Amino acid sequence: MAEDKKPARGGNWKLPDGIEDHIESGLIKAAIGGVVGGVVGLALFRSGKGMRMASVAGGVGAAVGSTVERAMFESGDSKSSI
């Protein structure tokens, strides 16, 4: 009897070509943005009260926005010209 092979879990799904570069860039930018935001928050907002975390979130948000913009520009999905 021939054994029925089960398809691999998840099927044949594959990431688009070149997406690894965007993911790696986004992770690096987010790490740098979070650290820089934390340092700025520590230096400027010594009293705390949530401003340090807001600085970290701002750094990470800028990194994510930059990565998304880069991915859209390189894929040609951008509706507006730069």
Side-chain angles (χ1 to χ4, degrees), residues 11-47:
N12 294 330
W13 186 83
K14 180 183 163 210
L15 287 172
D17 293 332
I19 194 73
E20 293 89 4
D21 295 335
H22 299 303
I23 293 171
E24 180 181 354
S25 172
L27 291 174
I28 291 170
K29 287 179 183 179
I32 293 171
V35 169
V36 170
V39 170
V40 168
L42 185 63
L44 295 180
F45 307 114
R46 293 183 188 259
S47 65

Side-chain angles (χ1 to χ4, degrees), residues 3 30 72:
E3 293 183 25
M72 288 176 55

Side-chain angles (χ1 to χ4, degrees), residues 33 37-38 41 45 48-61:
F45 307 114
K49 297 183 183 174
M51 293 303 292
R52 292 180 189 163
M53 289 305 297
S55 295
V56 172
V60 172

